[in-house]
Amino acid sequence: MSGENWRWARTALQLAGFEKNSDGNYVTPLTDIARARQSLAALGDTALAHETLVATNGSRYIGDFARELGESLPGQWSVRVENYPVPIVQEDLLYDLWTPRADPLAHKVKTERLLAAAILRGESGVELAVVPVPGRDQYRVGALIPADMNLTPEVAGPSSITVGDAQAHAAHQVSSSLLVEYHHAFW
């Protein structure tokens, strides 16, 4: 989406009654069904008036999955969602990943168009990136380079893992494999 289209989309969402959340995304609470319907109808009307198409994809919001995953992991985790309105912005994520060179998550970030990723931060400073796997109810989860750590090429980070959308099972996979490998590589 070009910068001009991105600005128009934000304006249309604001006019339709969507509110900006702490992640910078525009949302409408689904707990108030009448308000959600009104906002969606207003968005459709705005798009129609401007001869623009609003497309939905039925995918689960990455921030919701990441929050549920964080709630199921040991300790306290915060979540932020990074939006990538243009492809070059997602390169920041690529340089922050702490994975082996041939890791599937690094390859995905390098070669595929991402709209967003969720970053989980644990109370100990561990940061994990969560990226959706298109067309599936799965996510790729990998570690970010620890802050203030000078890494040599010999210190390979943990491999990313693929998890399903059931947060309890996903949290078990993350804590029993990814976080174990993370701490092993870190120390």
Side-chain angles (χ1 to χ4, degrees):
M1 183 180 290
S2 73
E4 185 177 315
N5 289 341
W6 187 254
R7 282 188 296 278
W8 184 90
R10 286 191 314 231
T11 301
L13 289 166
Q14 290 170 339
L15 291 172
F18 287 75
E19 295 176 3
K20 194 173 187 178
N21 70 6
S22 61
D23 295 331
N25 294 298
Y26 288 86
V27 299
T28 187
L30 295 179
T31 53
D32 184 347
I33 298 298
R35 180 176 172 200
R37 282 189 180 136
Q38 183 180 16
S39 294
L40 290 170
L43 181 60
D45 292 344
T46 301
L48 186 60
H50 290 87
E51 298 178 358
T52 303
L53 177 66
V54 174
T56 61
N57 63 14
S59 296
R60 186 173 184 198
Y61 176 57
I62 187 77
D64 291 342
F65 173 76
R67 276 186 246 301
E68 291 173 4
L69 177 61
E71 290 169 0
S72 298
L73 289 171
Q76 298 294 315
W77 294 80
S78 62
V79 176
R80 79 176 187 276
V81 174
E82 295 183 345
N83 294 299
Y84 308 124
V86 291
I88 196 159
V89 178
Q90 77 190 47
E91 285 184 15
D92 290 343
L93 177 60
L94 179 63
Y95 297 120
D96 289 341
L97 288 175
W98 189 32
T99 59
R101 291 182 189 199
D103 187 82
L105 180 57
H107 179 74
K108 180 178 188 53
V109 173
K110 185 186 285 187
T111 62
E112 295 179 25
R113 176 73 174 97
L114 301 177
L115 298 176
I119 308 298
L120 285 108
R121 181 174 171 76
E123 59 196 345
S124 67
V126 174
E127 289 187 303
L128 305 175
V130 181
V131 174
V133 176
R136 299 186 174 166
D137 293 332
Q138 295 180 325
Y139 300 87
R140 196 84 196 165
V141 183
L144 298 183
I145 297 171
D148 302 324
M149 185 172 183
N150 293 324
L151 296 175
T152 62
E154 300 83 41
V155 181
S159 297
S160 64
I161 61 172
T162 300
V163 299
D165 69 347
Q167 76 267 13
H169 183 62
H172 176 73
Q173 288 177 278
V174 169
S175 60
S176 66
S177 64
L178 181 60
L179 290 177
V180 169
E181 279 190 47
Y182 177 96
H183 292 295
H184 179 72
F186 183 83
W187 295 112

